[in-house]
Amino acid sequence: MARLPYVDPETAPEVVRQVFAGLSGRLNIFGIVAHAPTLFGPLVALGDAVLVQQVLDARLRELAILRVARLSPARYVWAHHVQIALDAGVAREQIEALERGEFEVPCFDESEQLVLRFTTEVLRDVRATDLTFAAMVQRFTAREVLELLVTIGLYMTLARIMETTDVDLEPALAETA
C-alpha cells in the first residue's frame, strides 16, 4: 500500500487536472507525483520526451531503464518496462540476463554491453569512467549520450519516488509480477 494517498484528478488543482486530462492512462505513479503540481507537468513532459522523442535507439533505452530498475531496485519500473522492452525488440533472453544482474554475456552485442556498462557506472559511481565514456562518444553521437544520461537520471529519480512512497503496481501488472 502506498505511503502517500494517490491524488484524485477530480479534486486536484486545475493545473494537475489539465495534466491528467492529457495522459493516455492512469498509472499510480502519476497519482503520487501529482502531489507536486509545479513538477507534475514537467516530469510527465520529460517522460514523454524520453519515451517517444529521442533519437537514441528504443532497445538501448529500454535496456538502460531495466538496468536502472534492477540496480536501484525499482519493482514498479521493472514491471512496467519489461513489456515495453519486448515491444522495442529486446529479447526475452536479454531481459532474463538483466534480471540475474548479468550484462557482459553473449546475448548482448558490443553496443548493448557498452550502454549497460555506462548505465551501471553512472548509477553506481555518478560518473562513467574515462574509458567507458571515450567508448560511448566513439560509438554514439553527443545527442545519444546525453539522451541516455537523461534517461538514466529520470529513471533513477522515478525509482526513488516509487520505492520511497511504495507506489502500488496496477492490478493487471500485480497479477503477473
Side-chain angles (χ1 to χ4, degrees):
M1 183 166 167
R3 296 166 87 181
L4 292 174
Y6 296 106
V7 171
D8 179 358
E10 306 304 318
T11 59
E14 179 60 28
V15 65
V16 170
R17 285 197 308 268
Q18 289 174 3
V19 175
F20 270 114
L23 296 172
S24 59
R26 283 266 172 95
L27 300 179
N28 287 338
I29 184 60
F30 298 143
I32 293 295
V33 177
H35 281 289
T38 57
L39 301 176
F40 186 37
L43 194 59
V44 168
L46 180 58
D48 181 64
V50 164
L51 292 176
V52 298
Q53 298 176 28
Q54 294 191 85
V55 297
L56 180 67
D57 182 270
R59 283 178 319 93
L60 297 176
R61 179 198 70 222
E62 290 304 318
L63 289 172
I65 291 170
L66 290 176
R67 186 70 175 148
V68 170
R70 258 310 157 233
L71 291 176
S72 289
R75 65 182 174 77
Y76 188 95
V77 173
W78 183 269
H80 275 269
H81 280 270
V82 165
Q83 188 59 54
I84 296 169
L86 289 168
D87 292 346
V90 174
R92 173 90 42 206
E93 177 185 17
Q94 292 175 314
I95 293 170
E96 291 167 357
L98 289 174
E99 193 166 23
R100 292 188 305 271
E102 300 171 352
F103 68 88
E104 292 175 329
V105 292
C107 65
F108 298 107
D109 67 26
E110 286 182 28
S111 292
E112 293 164 341
Q113 286 185 22
L114 176 58
V115 163
L116 291 165
R117 184 171 58 252
F118 181 78
T119 301
T120 301
E121 291 175 8
V122 169
L123 184 65
R124 287 189 177 159
D125 306 323
V126 180
R127 176 187 168 97
T129 63
D130 291 340
L131 185 65
T132 299
F133 192 80
M136 285 293 294
V137 297
Q138 185 173 22
R139 187 165 302 226
F140 299 102
T141 66
R143 178 176 177 173
E144 290 169 315
V145 172
L146 262 291
E147 286 179 349
L148 181 57
L149 279 167
V150 170
T151 299
I152 295 165
L154 173 62
Y155 280 88
M156 287 171 62
T157 298
L158 290 173
R160 281 142 182 82
I161 292 169
M162 293 168 188
E163 290 302 310
T164 299
T165 63
D166 281 338
V167 174
D168 300 296
L169 281 173
E170 288 76 15
L173 281 176
E175 293 171 9
T176 62

